Amino acid sequence: MDLLKDNLKKLYFRFLIPSLGSAMVMSIYTLTDAIVIGKGVGADALAALSITTPLLCILMSMGILFGVGGSVQMSVCRGTGNQEKANRFFTLSFAALAVIALLLWLGYGCNISALLRLMGANQTLYPYAMAYMKYINLFLPVAVFSNYFAIFVRADGDPNRAMFGVLLGGVVNIVLDIVFVFPLQMGIGGAALASVLGMVIQVLVGLSHFFSRKNQLKFIRPKHVSASIRQIIGSGIPSFFNEFANGFIVLLFNIQILKYCGDVALSVYSVISNCVILFNSLFTGVGQAAQPIIATNYGAGEWGRIKKVKRMAFLTIMVLGLLFSLSGILFPMGVCSIFIRLNDGIRAIAQKGIRMYFATFLPMGINLLASYYLQSVLRVKQSLAISLLRNVFLSGAAILTFPLLFGGNSLWIVMPVVELVVLCLSLLFLAREES
């Protein structure tokens, strides 16, 4: 597979299909948990799952930070023909993530009770959230490295292996989810155990790449450690915020919805937040499929090839975004009934909440891909600006102020408004890049 010479359309789809498959199955870890927990344990347990989401997102986003950051720098170096420097970036990204995984393992293990209270766990939700996090803590390094290995294996020209690892892990997760929660009656903890065992399978398959003939990743003695780590973090930080924001936004929404709308509305939001994870994963899959092709061709100065891949990726995103938005706008009850049993209170909130919130997905996909594209051509400041505005500053300010100005129901339109505002900035950055 030659990223600089092969037919671009075939090359794009050779990365896209496995990447979307991987993204789909990765999200199945969370979606299966949500569906099985909602149906098999109850609405309170599903709300507790939403409480744990910020803590899980920190783990996943660390893997993405060093996976994307390291693989972008590696791909650019390969485009210039410097294989040794490319492997230095791989080595340093792995070592840095290993240290962070150890620190997180210690931090979560010693402070999980306080962390869950900080996330908003009340007397009702706390036991469920603690039961779930018990197994996550046990396998925490696996959760951190699951995304990392998938990203590097894909960037090293083996996207099918990355997809197979995620697919096999997803099948294990689904089967064990059902077995642990229903026949064995292990409750929400059983769903967590099923998820982490699926991640173990994914990591083991990723590690098998190092013994294959396709493998070009090698651990070598690093040089210029501090400067290289800064480059890795600089390249990966926009993707970190894209993933970390899932947890940050869910945390703020949990607090505000409980304050202004109540427990029933939080159950509806837990449905929405799980759909966000699924759709965000698929959008990310498109970005990660295009990224190694664009970054390698950027290193070689092949701007004509970059523009063609960029057009294909944005067309894919727009089709997906339109389908996702229409699914909730047209069928809000159908979406909600997948996760939880409906009653009159849930129906009343879901009719408005899901319809309004789902308008966000088309602009959200464009903004996410714009951030990935700008990363790939080392426009880190522009990429970071998009990520911070949509994931932290504008979203945080709107979640906190909209209920004060317009009432609690305005929380459902926060993200559509934020994504549309950021879309204007994304289109400006992309237009400048074309000129």
Side-chain angles (χ1 to χ4, degrees):
M1 186 184 298
D2 191 334
L3 301 187
L4 297 174
K5 295 179 181 179
D6 286 355
N7 178 275
L8 278 176
K9 190 172 183 180
K10 291 180 180 178
L11 197 60
Y12 173 67
F13 281 102
R14 284 182 70 181
F15 276 88
L16 178 67
I17 294 172
S19 185
L20 285 180
S22 297
M24 175 70 80
V25 181
M26 280 290 286
S27 63
I28 285 174
Y29 290 155
T30 303
L31 290 178
T32 303
D33 278 357
I35 294 169
V36 171
I37 289 167
K39 299 287 188 180
V41 187
D44 285 341
L46 185 60
L49 182 64
S50 184
I51 293 293
T52 68
T53 297
L55 298 177
L56 294 173
C57 283
I58 291 172
L59 306 181
M60 298 299 183
S61 59
M62 283 297 173
I64 288 176
L65 170 63
F66 288 94
V68 171
S71 66
V72 165
Q73 292 293 336
M74 180 187 76
S75 296
V76 171
C77 289
R78 286 183 175 178
T80 64
N82 194 336
Q83 183 66 33
E84 182 180 349
K85 189 174 181 181
N87 278 321
R88 282 200 210 110
F89 278 114
F90 164 65
T91 303
L92 274 174
S93 65
F94 179 89
L97 185 59
V99 172
I100 288 173
L102 178 60
L103 294 176
L104 287 170
W105 205 4
L106 293 171
Y108 275 35
C110 296
N111 302 289
I112 190 61
S113 180
L115 288 170
L116 289 175
R117 297 291 186 192
L118 183 64
M119 296 300 108
N122 57 26
Q123 189 173 0
T124 303
L125 304 181
Y126 177 82
Y128 292 111
M130 179 61 83
Y132 192 85
M133 287 304 299
K134 176 176 70 173
Y135 290 104
I136 300 297
N137 285 347
L138 188 61
F139 291 88
L140 187 145
V142 175
V144 171
F145 273 97
S146 58
N147 279 323
Y148 176 87
F149 282 122
I151 291 167
F152 261 100
V153 169
R154 190 180 300 116
D156 198 37
D158 202 356
N160 289 328
R161 187 184 301 268
M163 180 183 70
F164 176 72
V166 177
L167 181 61
L168 184 59
V171 171
V172 169
N173 178 43
I174 292 169
V175 172
L176 294 183
D177 245 330
I178 295 169
V179 171
F180 289 165
V181 173
F182 290 105
L184 297 184
Q185 294 290 300
M186 291 175 65
I188 191 172
L193 179 58
S195 288
V196 294
L197 290 177
M199 291 180 191
V200 169
I201 299 297
Q202 181 191 341
V203 168
L204 290 175
V205 173
L207 287 171
S208 72
H209 172 76
F210 292 89
F211 303 97
S212 74
R213 285 180 292 179
K214 291 184 177 181
N215 177 47
Q216 298 182 64
L217 300 172
K218 291 180 174 58
F219 291 103
I220 63 174
R221 187 170 183 173
K223 297 179 182 178
H224 314 297
V225 173
S226 60
S228 296
I229 288 180
R230 284 197 298 271
Q231 286 179 278
I232 291 169
I233 293 174
S235 296
I237 199 72
S239 292
F240 167 84
F241 279 113
N242 287 332
E243 179 67 25
F244 176 76
N246 290 330
F248 175 74
I249 291 170
V250 166
L251 172 61
L252 290 182
F253 266 114
N254 286 345
I255 294 170
Q256 293 294 82
I257 287 174
L258 281 173
K259 181 177 179 180
Y260 290 98
C261 306
D263 289 354
V264 176
L266 184 61
S267 295
V268 173
Y269 178 66
S270 68
V271 171
I272 293 172
S273 66
N274 280 288
C275 290
V276 170
I277 290 170
L278 169 61
F279 301 155
N280 184 76
S281 294
L282 291 170
F283 292 145
T284 299
V286 178
Q288 290 182 355
Q291 195 162 59
I293 306 172
I294 293 173
T296 302
N297 281 275
Y298 173 76
E302 295 286 348
W303 281 99
R305 289 173 65 84
I306 289 171
K307 289 179 180 179
K308 289 178 182 178
V309 175
K310 176 184 170 185
R311 282 196 295 269
M312 288 187 283
F314 274 101
L315 179 59
T316 307
I317 282 288
M318 291 176 71
V319 171
L320 290 176
L322 186 60
L323 289 174
F324 298 157
S325 288
L326 288 176
S327 66
I329 292 169
L330 297 178
F331 310 108
M333 292 300 97
V335 170
C336 200
S337 64
I338 293 171
F339 295 90
I340 53 178
R341 297 183 183 94
L342 301 180
N343 57 40
D344 291 341
I346 288 174
R347 284 191 180 93
I349 295 172
Q351 284 281 4
K352 292 182 179 179
I354 290 179
R355 278 200 169 107
M356 289 190 284
Y357 197 105
F358 268 58
T360 196
F361 290 118
L362 180 56
M364 171 186 170
I366 297 171
N367 289 331
L368 188 61
L369 182 58
S371 179
Y372 266 94
Y373 168 76
L374 292 166
Q375 270 180 289
S376 302
V377 295
L378 300 186
R379 304 297 190 268
V380 177
K381 291 181 180 179
Q382 292 94 321
S383 178
L384 185 58
I386 292 171
S387 295
L388 287 176
L389 282 173
R390 61 181 290 267
N391 295 322
V392 180
F393 297 127
L394 286 182
S395 55
I399 292 169
L400 294 174
T401 59
F402 269 42
L404 294 173
L405 299 174
F406 310 112
N409 284 332
S410 66
L411 285 166
W412 306 114
I413 64 166
V414 162
M415 294 314 297
V417 171
V418 168
E419 295 288 2
L420 284 171
V421 171
V422 176
L423 179 62
C424 298
L425 182 64
S426 296
L427 294 176
L428 176 63
F429 286 156
L430 292 171
R432 286 181 178 177
E433 196 63 29
E434 288 281 353
S435 59

